[in-house]
């Protein structure tokens, strides 16, 4: 334990992060190691290039979007605490904790997870998924298998399904509503190693 | 209720007949086969029986040949009887709501067995292991493999395997040892059972039975994770059961003294060989099926058969190699499903799906009925209170302990842990069934003295779990508020987002440097896309593989079906085919109906009625918005629909026996001559019906041969009648329209002629024949006012007309001048061209249409 608490000290404001994200200190340590590993030049922050160096991401059709999600608008660096906060979205929902910890919404709540997913669609961050944005995602994910015409009709149809106020775009509320039945807890969580 | 009793009565009679027949056969044949044939046995031991007739002295006209067909006949009769039981049971919804069907089937088995006992004074039929394992079980397993929700199954594979392997071993060992302990303690009196026999008994009782589990859980609809764990366990634990059973059976034969460490190691090795070997055989057959269906394009009719034959072969092959047959068939189904669905024609896929359900459901029914029937046998009822009750208790308790312990460990590694309540249901769902019974019957009486006691106990356990636990399962699920499965409609956005989630998770795992499920899943997907799919899937099918696209396709199909039903209900599909019209139409309806409505004359009404309903509700609001995207799918559906309608109404007899002859071709005849003939016949029929509807004006004999003269004579005749009556009855309209139809085709109205041509084909169901259909009848509109509606009314026109109309330009040409000529002779018509034209487009028997370009190839 001694070593872990000592290395915990090198993590800036660790306690605060743990409270905000719900990660345990073991998780945090692990993630810190990972962060340092990604941060090849030891600058204390990551740039998009660092992410692009991660092997699997290059093959991932929406890898670019996910990288973008780490960078809040206008910035091109991410420090450890933002890094952890983003990853915290993917922590599985912790049932016991939910009961007590209502005072503060953890990033792994249903809404926050959905919000994250929403932002992956919403490239221009105007709070709406437009047809063009939807189309881009579809294009990336369906790739060459489907013709452009079909892609367009899929996008059109998807918008019509979800679009309740008929503004030809999907707002976050509409998004949330149309995914009401999806078990987000399972689908937006990964098992972080301890 | 009355019908129900009648059914029951019928069933009883059938049974008596059955019993009588079997009696007859026994007299002649020393009943050597009946006891073992039971249900589906095709072990044709009876075959040669009754043929040793004395040399004939004269030619018999009719002979009684019961012995030739006794086995087959009994098999068929029994299947019929079992299914009738199900029919009766399912007719009673109030009962099936509370008691699961499987329990009721067993009970009806008791009754049937009682009747047989009453007739024969002995057990004539019972479920034999051969029949069960080779003829009843395979299709159930194949069905569950083929319809396995793959993703769910593989996501939970770890938990399933742990429960199936460790859980089953635990059940077997704990039951065997505890019973032995109790025996030693003297709880069961004097029984000749040793430790090994107890363990053998434990191993056959250990396995949760897929058939029973499926039957009960199917009706309860628990959440899918819970379901897949219990069901997956019941499928996969077969490997374990078979091994345990074989190993202990061998040990019993060897005798306690000769068992050493080497034998035990062999037993463990054989477990892995049996389980993995079985799965490998299944995978091999699955790949074979996929490859086969890649090239069955030219024999589409029997292509579904391959799935069944290969599935059965995978079962038999595994059995032949003494590997786990159930595992083999399961994996065969799991593996081939994706590729089979992509490779085969849509209709073949449907055929496989339904045929599979028929077989599986049918044999499940038979199994349960025979489990009931098997109970009515004095021989097997050896009562030993201690043994039976302790077995029941131990099974129940150890199942709970095992599940809770294993799941507690598993929960530590699960992303979303299984809740306590779910574990209760998992434990409670440990139903034993026919597999255990089949194994118990397989026991060797020479080695195990108390075989009958074991069979008896197995039966009691089966009844207890299937009937009692089955009945209480639903209330328990309700009471504990177990999360139920929701019936969800997939939306595109949902599917898309799911796909996106998958990618996101992989990416996040990459970023955070973890190797988790998602990592392996994405690796597997890459592998599959790179190697498996190109090998096993038709190139043309690959493109449609994407889930999002698939959902899109499904949704479109669904929409199209809705359109068709809606359209047919209101008698028209025009709105489907013409998307600009749909909007115009709706607009018009709204703006114009309000003004013009009050005075629609009666002869307008019928058609407008139809149009009306169409305009209001049947066009769902979505349709207006989505028509563009769905147009394509609609066209498909429309084509299907056209065939259907043609089949039904246009030219029934001829066409049907045309393809009735062919065993390999379903296609509707496209012969040019026939199309012409269809057309001519239809025309004639219509004219006749119009004429006869018009109070006995004799119908023209043939339309095609009409000379100008005839036509001219006829028309004025009709006209005069119509004038006198002045358009107040439905009949009148025909009059009008008939005479005027020509004007619709007059070149002076080019814009209308096209449209008008397709609509009137509605002939058969021309609403004018059913005058009082619509409440709108009371409203009237004078013809001149109605003119403005022309367009809309046309749009509303019958679907059948458009799709169904035979299109033969040659006929058209022949008829057109003839029709036009009537105009010149009838001044009345000339004057009123606008009105009449409009009317005829509403109600006229169809003049031959010019070929609408879009319809090409539909007929």
């Amino acid at each position: 334990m001694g070593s872990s608490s000592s290395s915990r000290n090198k993590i800036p404001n660790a306690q605060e992060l743990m409270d905000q994200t719900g990660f345990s200190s073991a998780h945090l340590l692990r993630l810190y190691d990972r962060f340092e590993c990604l941060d090849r030049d030891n600058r204390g922050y990551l740039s998009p290039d660092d992410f692009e160096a991660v092997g699997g991401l290059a093959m991932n059709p929406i890898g670019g979007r996910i990288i973008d999600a780490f960078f809040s608008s206008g910035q091109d660096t991410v420090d450890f605490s933002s890094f952890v906060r983003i990853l915290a979205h993917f922590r599985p929902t912790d049932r016991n904790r939910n009961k007590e910890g209502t005072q503060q919404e953890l990033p792994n709540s249903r809404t926050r997870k959905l919000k994250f997913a929403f932002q992956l669609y919403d490239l221009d961050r105007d709070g709406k998924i437009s047809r063009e944005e939807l189309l881009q995602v579809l294009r990336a994910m369906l790739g060459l298998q489907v013709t452009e015409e079909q892609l367009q009709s899929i996008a059109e149809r998807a918008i019509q399904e979800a679009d309740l106020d008929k503004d030809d775009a999907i707002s976050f509320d509409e998004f949330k509503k149309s995914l009401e039945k999806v078990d987000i807890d399972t689908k937006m969580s990964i098992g972080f190693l301890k | 209720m009355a019908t129900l009793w009648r059914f029951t009565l019928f069933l009883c009679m059938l049974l008596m007949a059955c019993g009588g027949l079997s009696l007859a056969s026994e007299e002649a044949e020393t009943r050597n086969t009946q006891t073992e044939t039971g249900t589906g046995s095709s072990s044709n031991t009876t075959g040669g029986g009754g043929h040793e007739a004395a040399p004939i002295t004269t030619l018999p006209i009719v002979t009684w040949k019961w012995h030739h067909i006794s086995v087959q006949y009994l098999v068929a009769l029994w299947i019929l009887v079992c299914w009738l039981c199900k029919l009766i049971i399912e007719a009673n919804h109030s009962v099936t709501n509370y008691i699961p069907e499987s329990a009721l089937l067993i009970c009806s088995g008791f009754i049937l067995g009682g009747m047989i006992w009453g007739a024969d004074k002995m057990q004539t039929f019972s479920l034999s292991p051969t029949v069960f394992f080779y003829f009843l079980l395979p299709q159930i397993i194949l069905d569950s493999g083929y319809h396995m929700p793959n993703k769910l199954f593989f996501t939970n594979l770890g938990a399933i395997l742990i429960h199936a392997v460790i859980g089953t071993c635990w059940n077997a060992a704990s039951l065997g040892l505890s019973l032995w302990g109790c025996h030693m303690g003297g709880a069961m009196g004097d029984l000749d059972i040793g430790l090994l026999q107890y363990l053998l008994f434990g191993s056959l009782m250990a396995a949760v039975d897929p058939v029973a589990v499926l039957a009960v859980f199917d009706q309860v609809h628990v959440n899918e994770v819970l379901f897949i764990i219990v069901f997956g366990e019941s499928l996969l634990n077969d490997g374990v059961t078979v091994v345990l059973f074989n190993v202990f059976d061998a040990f019993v034969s060897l005798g306690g003294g000769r068992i050493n460490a080497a034998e035990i190691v062999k037993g463990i090795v054989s477990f892995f060989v049996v389980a993995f070997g079985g799965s490998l055989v299944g995978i091999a057959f699955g790949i074979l099926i996929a490859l086969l269906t890649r090239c069955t394009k030219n024999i589409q009719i029997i292509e579904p058969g391959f799935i069944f034959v290969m599935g059965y072969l995978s079962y038999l092959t595994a059995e032949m190699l003494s590997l786990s047959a159930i595992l083999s068939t399961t994996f065969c189904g799991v593996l081939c499903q994706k590729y089979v669905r992509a490779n085969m024609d849509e209709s073949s896929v449907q055929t496989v799906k339904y045929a599979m359900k028929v077989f599986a459901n049918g044999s499940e029914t038979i199994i349960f009925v025979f489990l009931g029937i098997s109970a009515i046998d004095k021989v097997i009822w050896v009562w030993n209170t201690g043994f039976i009750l302790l077995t029941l208790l131990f099974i129940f308790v150890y199942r709970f302990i095992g599940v809770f312990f294993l799941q507690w460990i598993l929960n530590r590694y699960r992303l979303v842990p299984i809740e306590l309540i779910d574990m209760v249901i998992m434990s409670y769902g440990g139903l034993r069934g026919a597999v255990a019974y089949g194994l118990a019957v397989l026991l060797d009486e020479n080695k195990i003295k108390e075989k009958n006691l074991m069979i008896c106990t197995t039966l009691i356990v089966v009844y207890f779990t299937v009937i009692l636990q089955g009945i209480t399962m639903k209330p328990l699920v309700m009471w504990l508020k177990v999360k139920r499965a929701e019936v969800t409609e997939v939306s595109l956005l949902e599917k898309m987002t799911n796909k996106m989630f998958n990618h996101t998770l992989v990416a996040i795992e990459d970023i955070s440097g973890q190797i988790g499920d998602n990592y392996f899943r994405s690796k597997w997907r890459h592998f599959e896309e790179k190697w498996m799919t190109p090998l096993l899937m038709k190139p043309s099918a690959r493109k449609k593989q994407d889930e999002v696209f698939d959902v899109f396709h499904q949704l479109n199909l669904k929409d199209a079906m809705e359109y068709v039903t809606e359209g047919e209900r209101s008698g028209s599909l025009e709105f489907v085919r013409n998307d600009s019209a749909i909007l115009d139409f709706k607009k018009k309806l709204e703006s114009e109906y309000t003004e013009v409505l009050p005075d629609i004359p009666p002869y307008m009404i019928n058609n407008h009625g139809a149009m009306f309903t169409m305009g209001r509700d049947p066009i769902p609001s979505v349709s207006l918005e989505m028509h563009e995207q769905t147009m394509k799918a609609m066209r498909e559906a429309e084509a299907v629909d056209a065939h259907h309608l043609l089949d039904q109404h246009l030219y029934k007899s001829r066409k049907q026996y045309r393809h009735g002859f062919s065993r390999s071709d379903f296609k509707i005849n496209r012969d040019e001559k026939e199309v012409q003939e269809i057309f001519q016949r239809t025309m004639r029929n219509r004219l006749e019906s119009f004429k006869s509807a018009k109070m006995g004006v004799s119908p023209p004999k043939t339309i095609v041969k009409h000379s100008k003269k005839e036509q001219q004579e006829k028309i004025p005749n009709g006209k005069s009648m119509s004038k006198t009556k002045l358009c107040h009855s439905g009949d009148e309209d025909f009059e009008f329209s008939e005479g005027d139809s020509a004007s619709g085709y007059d070149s002076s109205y080019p814009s209308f002629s096209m449209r008008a041509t397709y609509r009137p084909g509605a002939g058969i169901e021309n609403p004018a024949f059913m005058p009082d259909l619509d409440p709108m009848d009371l409203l009237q509109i004078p013809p001149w006012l109605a003119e403005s509606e022309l367009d809309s009314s046309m749009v509303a026109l019958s679907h059948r007309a458009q799709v169904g109309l035979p299109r033969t330009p040659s006929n058209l040409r022949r008829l057109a001048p003839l029709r036009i000529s009537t105009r010149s002779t009838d001044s009345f018509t000339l004057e009123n061209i606008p009105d009449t034209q409009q009317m005829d487009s509403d109600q006229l028997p169809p003049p031959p249409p010019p070929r609408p370009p879009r319809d090409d190839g539909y007929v």
Side-chain angles (χ1 to χ4, degrees):
Chain A
M1 277 325 266
S3 68
S4 89
S5 65
S6 69
S7 55
R8 211 177 105 189
N9 292 335
K10 63 186 184 187
I11 302 175
N13 46 24
Q15 190 58 45
E16 192 194 334
L17 270 181
M18 278 162 59
D19 288 344
Q20 282 174 2
T21 60
F23 278 121
S24 70
S25 61
H27 281 140
L28 223 49
L29 264 179
R30 230 198 107 77
L31 291 177
Y32 193 71
D33 286 346
R34 179 67 184 167
F35 182 81
E36 283 184 325
C37 166
L38 290 177
D39 179 18
R40 284 164 301 174
D41 310 333
N42 282 322
R43 291 166 301 185
Y45 57 84
L46 300 178
S47 63
D49 292 342
D50 292 325
F51 282 102
E52 272 152 26
V54 176
L57 276 184
M59 294 201 324
N60 199 316
I62 56 169
R65 284 161 190 269
I66 288 164
I67 295 173
D68 283 346
F70 278 86
F71 299 93
S72 49
S73 50
Q75 285 178 309
D76 56 356
T77 60
V78 56
D79 62 0
F80 180 65
S81 55
S82 325
F83 179 73
V84 171
R85 281 194 192 101
I86 298 289
L87 289 183
H89 286 107
F90 296 91
R91 216 168 54 83
T93 316
D94 187 349
R95 275 155 220 271
N96 307 324
R97 190 160 176 138
N98 269 359
K99 280 167 201 153
E100 329 148 1
T102 40
Q103 72 275 16
Q104 162 197 18
E105 198 180 31
L106 292 171
N108 63 351
S109 73
R110 185 188 162 85
T111 315
R112 296 284 292 273
K113 279 179 198 281
L114 273 177
K115 189 89 191 163
F116 188 87
F118 184 78
Q119 277 164 357
L120 289 182
Y121 283 105
D122 185 18
L123 279 188
D124 56 7
R125 309 209 176 176
D126 64 348
K128 284 189 173 181
I129 303 174
S130 68
R131 181 179 324 208
E132 194 42 46
E133 283 165 343
L134 205 60
L135 206 54
Q136 282 174 17
V137 178
L138 275 172
R139 217 173 275 142
M141 291 199 307
L142 295 188
L144 305 169
Q145 297 164 325
V146 185
T147 65
E148 182 66 25
E149 199 178 297
Q150 285 168 325
L151 282 179
Q152 275 176 0
S153 51
I154 293 179
E156 175 72 33
R157 175 141 197 174
I159 287 204
Q160 269 155 9
E161 268 174 4
D163 186 18
L164 300 175
D165 56 9
K166 311 280 172 231
D167 61 351
D168 216 21
I170 303 173
S171 70
F172 181 61
D173 285 336
E174 287 161 351
F175 184 73
K176 200 170 157 186
K177 188 138 181 78
S178 70
L179 296 183
E180 223 165 22
K181 291 180 201 142
V182 180
D183 186 6
I184 302 290
D185 275 353
T186 336
K187 299 217 162 109
M188 276 289 271
S189 302
I190 61 174
F192 282 100
L193 302 176
K194 303 234 156 106
Chain B
M1 224 40 204
T3 47
L4 229 135
W5 283 115
R6 230 169 291 146
F7 265 131
T8 328
L9 204 71
F10 174 57
L11 199 69
C12 294
M13 282 163 60
L14 248 179
L15 213 90
M16 290 304 168
C18 214
L21 290 175
S22 69
L23 267 183
S25 75
E26 276 153 27
E27 281 159 25
E29 252 182 76
T30 67
R31 63 170 70 134
N32 54 344
T33 45
Q34 305 303 333
T35 33
E36 53 175 85
T37 25
T39 41
S41 157
S42 32
S43 61
N44 274 322
T45 36
T46 8
H51 209 292
E52 70 297 330
I56 46 167
T57 52
T58 172
L59 181 74
I61 295 172
V62 178
T63 46
W64 176 251
K65 287 185 172 178
W66 166 247
H67 300 298
H68 283 279
I69 44 87
S70 62
V71 174
Q72 295 85 332
Y73 205 86
L74 284 174
V75 168
L77 263 189
W78 269 117
I79 294 176
L80 177 67
V81 169
C82 293
W83 288 358
L84 284 177
C85 287
K86 188 176 175 110
L87 184 84
I88 293 171
I89 288 165
E90 283 299 322
N92 266 328
H93 284 297
S94 50
V95 180
T96 44
N97 276 345
Y98 298 102
I99 306 175
E101 191 191 281
S102 46
L104 287 170
L105 283 172
I106 290 185
C107 293
S108 60
F110 290 153
I111 299 170
L112 292 177
M115 289 183 193
I116 297 170
W117 186 262
D120 287 10
K121 297 288 175 258
M122 67 159 301
Q123 193 189 37
T124 322
F125 303 96
S126 72
L127 188 59
S128 74
T130 330
V131 172
F132 174 70
F133 283 113
Y134 295 121
F135 299 105
L136 294 177
L137 193 58
Q139 58 262 44
I140 298 182
I141 305 298
L142 184 63
D143 172 64
S144 29
Y146 185 77
H147 290 111
M148 177 76 73
N150 270 353
K151 194 176 172 201
L152 201 60
F153 178 71
F154 286 110
T155 317
N156 293 293
L157 190 61
I160 292 171
L161 278 177
I162 298 275
H163 280 291
V165 177
I166 302 180
T168 309
C169 289
W170 156 258
N171 282 347
S174 60
L175 177 66
L177 290 175
S178 313
L179 282 177
W180 182 68
C182 293
H183 186 191
M184 290 290 113
M188 320 177 183
D190 186 25
L191 281 181
D192 184 13
I193 305 179
L195 173 60
L196 283 176
Q197 276 104 327
Y198 274 121
L199 285 173
L200 179 58
F201 179 67
S203 68
L204 72 88
M205 291 300 304
V208 174
D209 183 69
V211 185
V213 165
L214 199 63
V216 169
F217 275 70
D218 237 13
Q219 301 187 334
V220 185
H221 304 298
V222 293
N223 63 68
E224 47 185 19
V225 175
L226 180 55
F227 173 77
I228 201 73
I229 290 183
V230 178
F231 179 57
E233 179 200 344
S234 71
L235 273 177
L236 298 194
N237 67 13
D238 168 75
V240 187
T241 320
V242 170
V243 177
L244 284 179
F245 185 80
N246 287 339
V247 166
F248 284 116
D249 200 34
F251 283 177
V252 168
S253 317
L254 281 175
R258 310 236 306 269
I259 298 170
N260 51 27
E263 300 293 333
I264 293 176
V265 169
K266 272 192 209 161
I268 295 172
V269 170
S270 87
F271 162 73
F272 285 103
V273 172
V274 167
F276 287 101
S279 313
L280 278 181
V281 169
I283 289 170
F285 271 91
I287 291 175
L288 268 181
I289 292 181
L291 285 175
L292 260 180
T293 50
R294 256 191 86 152
C295 32
T296 49
K297 202 177 142 212
N298 298 324
I299 45 165
Q300 235 181 54
I301 300 296
I302 57 165
E303 132 188 287
F306 283 112
I307 317 295
F308 295 96
V309 172
M310 296 296 279
Y312 194 47
L313 273 180
S314 79
Y315 189 92
L316 293 180
T317 310
E319 193 69 43
M320 179 176 77
L321 302 171
S322 73
L323 304 172
S324 165
I326 294 190
L327 279 181
S328 163
T329 314
T330 306
F331 278 103
C332 175
V334 165
L335 190 90
C336 77
Q337 51 166 284
K338 180 177 171 187
Y339 304 107
V340 164
R341 278 176 202 159
N343 283 344
M344 288 198 316
D345 188 68
E346 181 76 27
S347 57
S348 304
V349 172
Q350 292 294 324
T351 312
V352 170
K353 183 174 153 197
Y354 284 107
M356 201 101 85
K357 290 288 172 207
V358 170
F359 283 130
N361 219 313
S363 63
E364 187 187 286
T365 310
I366 296 170
I367 288 171
F368 282 120
V369 171
F370 269 83
L371 271 180
I373 291 176
S374 305
I376 313 296
D377 185 3
K378 249 195 279 185
V379 187
I380 59 163
W381 288 104
V382 184
W383 191 262
N384 181 317
T385 318
F387 187 80
I388 291 170
L389 289 186
L390 281 173
T391 307
L392 272 180
L393 178 77
F394 287 145
I395 281 180
F396 197 70
V397 170
Y398 287 132
R399 167 84 186 167
F400 267 87
I401 296 176
V403 167
F404 272 76
F405 179 70
L406 290 175
Q407 196 54 53
W408 176 70
I409 295 176
L410 284 170
N411 267 351
R412 313 179 68 171
Y413 299 98
R414 272 187 81 87
L415 220 52
V416 181
I418 301 274
E419 286 170 58
L420 200 68
I421 294 171
D422 286 4
M423 288 195 243
V424 173
I425 298 298
M426 274 169 70
S427 322
Y428 202 72
L431 308 178
R432 311 308 203 265
V435 172
Y437 172 75
L439 290 176
V441 176
L442 275 181
L443 290 175
D444 185 352
E445 210 158 347
N446 298 323
K447 287 181 274 180
I448 296 156
K449 300 281 182 296
E450 304 287 352
K451 178 186 174 187
N452 281 334
L453 175 62
M454 288 188 181
I455 294 181
C456 163
T457 313
T458 312
L459 275 177
I460 289 180
V461 169
V462 170
Y463 298 149
F464 180 83
T465 53
V466 172
I467 298 182
L468 279 183
Q469 287 182 210
I471 290 173
T472 44
M473 180 69 83
K474 209 169 182 180
L476 190 73
V477 166
M478 305 273 230
W479 182 60
L480 291 175
K481 299 195 179 64
V482 175
K483 218 164 112 197
R484 307 286 280 271
E486 290 154 359
V487 187
T488 51
E489 257 180 57
V490 261
S491 69
L492 264 180
L493 187 68
E494 205 176 307
K495 203 75 196 172
M496 237 178 105
T497 316
N498 275 343
K499 200 174 161 93
M500 186 153 140
F501 286 158
N502 291 339
H503 288 306
T504 316
L505 292 187
V506 177
I508 295 292
E509 274 188 357
D510 282 338
I511 289 173
S512 63
Q514 331 231 358
I515 295 181
D517 295 349
N518 297 298
Y519 175 80
F520 290 117
R521 205 173 294 152
S522 82
K523 281 280 171 269
W524 164 253
R525 201 162 291 150
H526 277 297
F527 170 75
E528 200 185 15
E529 258 164 41
K530 200 159 175 202
W531 301 106
M532 306 266 289
T533 315
L535 181 67
L536 299 180
M537 211 177 277
K538 274 194 224 168
S540 56
R542 252 175 262 159
K543 172 178 154 190
K544 294 177 186 147
Q545 268 311 289
D546 192 87
E547 285 172 352
V548 177
F549 187 75
D550 190 50
V551 175
F552 177 63
H553 181 69
Q554 297 297 328
L555 286 173
N556 279 347
L557 269 186
K558 209 179 85 189
D559 273 6
M561 296 308 263
E562 269 166 25
Y563 282 140
V564 171
T565 18
E566 294 292 356
E568 266 175 339
R569 213 170 57 203
S570 47
S572 164
L573 274 190
E574 175 72 55
F575 68 101
V576 165
R577 83 182 352 226
N578 190 337
D579 47 338
S580 62
I582 197 178
L583 292 169
D584 298 350
F585 166 46
K586 202 182 175 194
K587 245 184 281 159
K588 282 214 171 185
L589 253 183
E590 278 168 2
S591 60
E592 289 185 12
Y593 257 103
T594 42
E595 306 157 16
V596 188
L597 255 187
D599 21 23
I600 298 176
Y603 50 79
M604 295 292 307
I605 279 156
N606 301 313
N607 277 347
H608 283 275
M611 193 176 108
F612 236 97
T613 42
M614 224 189 80
R616 294 282 151 92
D617 56 47
I619 301 184
S621 53
V622 244
S623 72
L624 280 174
E625 291 134 19
M626 297 198 179
H627 61 268
E628 263 172 59
Q629 311 88 295
T630 49
M631 198 54 66
K632 200 171 170 193
M634 277 189 267
R635 270 171 213 154
E636 273 168 42
E638 205 185 345
V640 171
D641 193 55
H643 284 307
H644 175 69
L645 285 177
L646 262 185
D647 238 0
Q648 266 195 329
H649 298 287
L650 220 45
Y651 192 57
K652 209 162 236 166
S653 51
R654 188 69 54 93
K655 197 181 305 161
Q656 272 177 358
Y657 47 82
R658 267 298 289 252
H659 63 76
F661 282 126
S662 167
R663 208 164 281 166
S664 56
D665 189 14
F666 284 142
K667 287 184 190 88
I668 288 179
N669 194 348
R670 289 164 199 233
D671 190 352
E672 183 66 20
K673 271 187 196 160
E674 189 183 277
V675 172
Q676 286 202 9
E677 201 183 333
I678 292 174
F679 166 73
Q680 285 167 9
R681 276 190 167 209
T682 325
M683 285 300 294
R684 200 185 309 149
N685 284 346
R686 287 204 186 123
L687 264 204
E688 276 169 22
S689 65
F690 285 125
K691 287 295 175 191
S692 52
K694 204 195 323 162
M695 317 160 231
V697 176
S698 65
K701 289 289 179 260
T702 49
I703 217 181
V704 206
K705 291 184 195 159
H706 264 337
S707 70
K708 255 184 195 179
K709 221 188 252 170
E710 278 170 1
Q711 191 76 349
Q712 283 169 359
E713 279 166 17
K714 198 189 78 205
I715 301 288
N717 187 13
K719 273 306 154 200
S720 62
M721 278 171 86
S722 76
K723 271 183 207 158
T724 56
K725 298 213 169 159
L726 213 68
C727 59
H728 282 307
S729 71
D731 298 340
E732 230 77 342
D733 308 338
F734 291 123
E735 206 34 64
F736 249 136
S737 42
E738 212 236 26
D740 306 323
S741 65
S743 61
Y745 301 95
D746 194 314
S747 54
S748 59
Y749 293 93
S751 62
F752 288 132
S753 62
M754 267 307 261
R755 280 212 171 152
T757 50
Y758 359 129
R759 9 174 357 234
I764 296 166
E765 285 187 7
N766 193 322
F769 282 108
M770 326 164 225
D772 292 325
L773 277 188
D774 199 270
M776 290 303 164
D777 265 0
L778 299 175
L779 308 169
Q780 302 216 340
I781 190 172
W784 55 91
L785 259 185
E787 226 254 295
S788 53
E789 304 237 352
L790 180 51
D791 213 44
S792 55
S793 67
M794 284 186 158
V795 171
L797 231 266
S798 151
H799 161 63
R800 184 162 303 123
Q802 310 145 17
V803 275
L805 246 211
R807 47 206 69 84
T808 46
S810 57
N811 276 342
L812 172 65
R813 257 174 261 124
R814 235 183 298 161
L815 283 179
L818 182 143
R819 287 305 180 108
I820 289 165
S821 70
T822 64
R823 256 186 87 209
S824 57
T825 58
D826 196 320
S827 58
F828 178 79
T829 354
L830 264 179
E831 286 160 16
N832 291 301
I833 282 169
D835 328 347
T836 51
Q837 188 223 321
Q838 180 258 320
M839 274 180 262
D840 70 55
S841 62
D842 278 339
Q843 284 134 351
L844 224 233
R851 177 178 239 151
R854 274 213 37 220
D855 273 5
D856 277 6
Y858 283 177
V859 175

